[in-house]
Amino acid sequence: MHTKTPATLESKIERLVHEHMVEQQRLVKAAVERAFSVLAPAPSVAMQRQGTRVRRSSGAVANLAKRLLDAVQACPGETMTVIAAHVGEKPRALHRPMMRLKHEGRVRSAGERNATRYFPMGGKAT
């Protein structure tokens, strides 16, 4: 029977342990890189988000308020979602014009949050 010397066995074991450690370090490094790449958005996405808000002029808000008032008169007692569909805008874009109409006394609201309904009033004309 052929037996190996202890020095030969020791060198083979050391080599296997070293290869195993190198492979484990590579796997850990790859896992850490994947984890951090998910957390941080790509620079192109961050750059796209900057400057997306555009401030509307008072004339644009007034024009949108007129269209909004026409929509409220066409379907009184509806929610902002329904009215926004008639105007052709998103409900969030109509918040400022609606506040303007309410302040002028041309529209009144009843309800809270998503259940708010809007009604035309016989207020002063601008």
Side-chain angles (χ1 to χ4, degrees):
M1 199 160 144
H2 187 285
T3 60
K4 299 192 180 209
T5 63
T8 307
L9 286 175
E10 183 179 343
S11 66
K12 286 185 179 185
I13 291 172
E14 289 291 327
R15 186 176 43 84
L16 286 173
V17 169
H18 178 70
E19 289 173 1
H20 178 73
M21 293 299 291
V22 168
E23 181 64 18
Q24 292 302 313
Q25 288 175 347
R26 186 187 66 77
L27 292 173
V28 168
K29 183 178 178 183
V32 168
E33 287 174 355
R34 276 193 315 272
F36 283 110
S37 69
V38 171
L39 294 177
S44 60
V45 173
M47 293 304 288
Q48 289 173 356
R49 289 184 183 161
Q50 291 178 352
T52 57
R53 289 186 181 164
V54 177
R55 185 172 175 90
R56 293 178 292 196
S57 66
S58 60
V61 173
N63 183 28
L64 193 53
K66 169 125 178 53
R67 291 175 32 215
L68 182 59
L69 179 61
D70 292 341
V72 170
Q73 290 171 342
C75 48
E78 288 294 342
T79 63
M80 183 60 78
T81 306
V82 174
I83 295 169
H86 284 278
V87 175
E89 293 284 340
K90 293 183 179 180
R92 181 84 175 140
L94 299 176
H95 178 74
R96 191 167 158 214
M98 183 59 78
M99 294 304 294
R100 182 180 191 154
L101 291 172
K102 287 168 67 174
H103 178 72
E104 293 172 353
R106 301 174 79 184
V107 173
R108 73 175 177 87
S109 63
E112 294 181 6
R113 298 185 184 238
N114 292 340
T116 303
R117 308 269 178 182
Y118 298 93
F119 303 90
M121 299 279 292
K124 62 181 179 179
T126 55

